[in-house]
Amino acid sequence: MFMKRPGGQAQFSTALSLQAADDKFGALHEWINKHLDDDLQLPVLADQAGMSERSFSRHYAEATGITPARAIERLRVEAARQLLSESGLPVKRISRRCGFGSEETMRRSFLRLLAVSPQEYRTRFGA
DNA sequence: CGTGAATACCGCCAGT
DNA sequence: ATACTGGCGGTATTCA
């Protein structure tokens, strides 16, 4: 969950790991990637998809196999991954820029999805 | 590292 | 009668 609203800009990512769902939610994913640093809460996504929260959750999970919140997490991690290797920005700044409320949040997401901390990721796969 | 508060998700029910 | 949608409530999970 994302309960704050950072501020910032937009950015692009490479292909996503949710291709299977891009058929139905490709547009949404695209939009999400442009607003990664915004507050992407369920209500916001549902609104973007033009559905009620309930229906959106249901359909999204159905199409992607993962829940909306998890998808956002994946998207953010992927964006952060790139910045870690393609830029020399400090982790703290990257975390903000990718929509994580804090450095700590990003760290937890990394550990959960990649089983490595941001720092570790950078030293191991960084440019 | 614990605590409080917010959010996500899911089952169930009702309306169309 | 079947299928889909939206809302509610409770519990689980996450964030700061």
Side-chain angles (χ1 to χ4, degrees), chain A residues 6 21 85 90 112 122:
Chain A
S85 54
R112 181 161 45 204
R122 171 169 273 171

Side-chain angles (χ1 to χ4, degrees), chain A residues 20-32 49 51 55-56 58-64:
Chain A
D22 278 355
D23 295 325
K24 294 185 175 182
F25 295 100
L28 176 63
H29 289 161
E30 199 181 317
W31 181 86
I32 290 176
M51 303 183 216
S55 288
F56 173 65
R58 206 143 42 189
H59 287 138
Y60 194 88
E62 168 70 35
T64 65

